Amino acid sequence: MIYEKLASYYDQFIDNELNDLYLKIIKKYFDEGTVIDLGTGTAPVAVELAKLGFSVTATDISPSMLEMAYNTAVMEDVHVNLYIHNILEKINSQYDIVTMTSDVINYLESKDEVLTVFENVAEALHDKSIFIFDALRVKYIEKMDKYHEDILMKDELIEWDVYKTMIPNQIKHVVKIGNEIETHIQTTYKQSEYQAMLKKHNLIIVEKKKLDERIVYVCKKRV
């Protein structure tokens, strides 16, 4: 799959400003503790948290991403527990901090899937835990319609096109490397809709950080 091939380029697209914001938020609530980073990719946030002394578990659905995450952790001389895991599946342990960075939530196919993830996360939280995730802003979806970029990396041309679909607040990414093409769909929702879906699983938003492309939500269990 082209997605596996893209793993080798993934670190070129990391949003360091966003990752730094996650670290700042986490340090505001915890000096130490257990973390699970869902949809970790190459684990940039997970590795930085491990360097700060947190006990970190990182999961992703892609073995290639986790292989790169492992290599990064070794190079940084830190330990991160790495597992293949689909965020639609149960987590089966509780953590002080649950993170889901870089619009992972927007790759879910429906509100039902978002609700399933929120249910899984709620079960992984104790009364003092925090859950941090970010979601693309509706206005960003509008802005990305008909976006095109050619990216040259390692002597290969990556052609990236983005189009709105017929579904509200949804875009389709078309990525081409050579003769290989893969598409990804991202869907977002209004802030009020995320709030309502969180509420269904007894989760409340305690803090929000608005960036140009996305909103970062900090959540806790209602007690």
Side-chain angles (χ1 to χ4, degrees):
M1 290 177 61
I2 193 173
Y3 186 74
E4 304 301 318
K5 193 173 184 179
L6 281 170
S8 61
Y9 302 107
Y10 187 81
D11 284 346
Q12 304 297 319
F13 300 98
I14 287 174
D15 187 337
N16 290 316
E17 180 184 357
L18 176 64
N19 293 345
D20 288 345
L21 178 57
Y22 269 83
L23 297 175
K24 183 178 179 181
I25 292 170
I26 288 167
K27 287 188 286 186
K28 175 180 174 181
Y29 290 89
F30 288 94
D31 295 322
E32 59 183 11
T34 57
V35 184
I36 185 165
D37 185 33
L38 304 173
T40 193
T42 57
V45 171
V47 167
E48 289 302 315
L49 286 169
K51 288 164 68 175
L52 290 171
F54 289 86
S55 175
V56 184
T57 297
T59 74
D60 202 278
I61 201 169
S62 166
S64 296
M65 291 290 187
L66 291 177
E67 182 179 353
M68 290 193 65
Y70 173 78
N71 292 338
T72 301
V74 169
M75 289 178 62
E76 295 290 343
D77 195 26
V78 294
H79 176 71
V80 177
N81 299 305
L82 298 166
Y83 297 101
I84 296 174
H85 173 258
N86 187 324
I87 60 173
L88 293 171
E89 299 169 353
K90 299 288 186 183
I91 297 171
N92 296 327
S93 295
Q94 286 194 326
Y95 295 86
D96 298 318
I97 304 146
V98 177
T99 57
M100 198 159 58
T101 71
S102 299
D103 49 81
V104 166
I105 200 164
N106 297 126
Y107 286 96
L108 298 171
E109 294 183 358
S110 66
K111 278 190 174 183
D112 283 343
E113 289 195 350
V114 175
L115 286 166
T116 296
V117 170
F118 287 165
E119 180 181 12
N120 293 340
V121 168
E123 291 175 356
L125 303 179
H126 56 69
D127 289 350
K128 294 184 179 180
S129 300
I130 58 171
F131 166 42
I132 315 173
F133 73 99
D134 60 88
L136 295 175
R137 303 182 73 165
V138 169
K139 70 176 185 179
Y140 175 74
I141 297 292
E142 298 291 332
K143 181 180 177 181
M144 286 299 289
D145 188 31
K146 298 181 178 66
Y147 180 86
H148 173 82
E149 185 174 357
D150 291 327
I151 306 162
L152 185 62
M153 288 186 181
K154 299 181 181 178
D155 297 323
E156 285 193 285
L157 179 66
I158 301 174
E159 299 177 65
W160 176 29
D161 289 282
V162 185
Y163 308 96
K164 284 182 64 179
T165 74
M166 298 296 291
I167 297 173
N169 306 323
Q170 185 180 88
I171 49 177
K172 178 169 72 173
H173 300 264
V174 181
V175 181
K176 181 179 179 183
I177 302 178
N179 294 321
E180 297 181 80
I181 298 176
E182 186 159 312
T183 62
H184 298 283
I185 300 292
Q186 284 190 296
T187 310
T188 199
Y189 303 97
K190 297 176 182 177
Q191 296 179 53
S192 58
E193 292 177 284
Y194 283 117
Q195 185 175 9
M197 287 188 282
L198 288 161
K199 186 177 180 181
K200 285 190 175 184
H201 293 293
N202 207 33
L203 297 170
I204 57 171
I205 298 168
V206 296
E207 188 176 350
K208 284 189 293 189
K209 299 291 185 181
K210 294 184 179 181
L211 306 177
D212 288 341
E213 296 180 1
R214 67 194 83 227
I215 298 175
V216 179
Y217 297 91
V218 184
C219 310
K220 286 189 172 186
K221 266 189 171 180
R222 187 186 299 275
V223 295

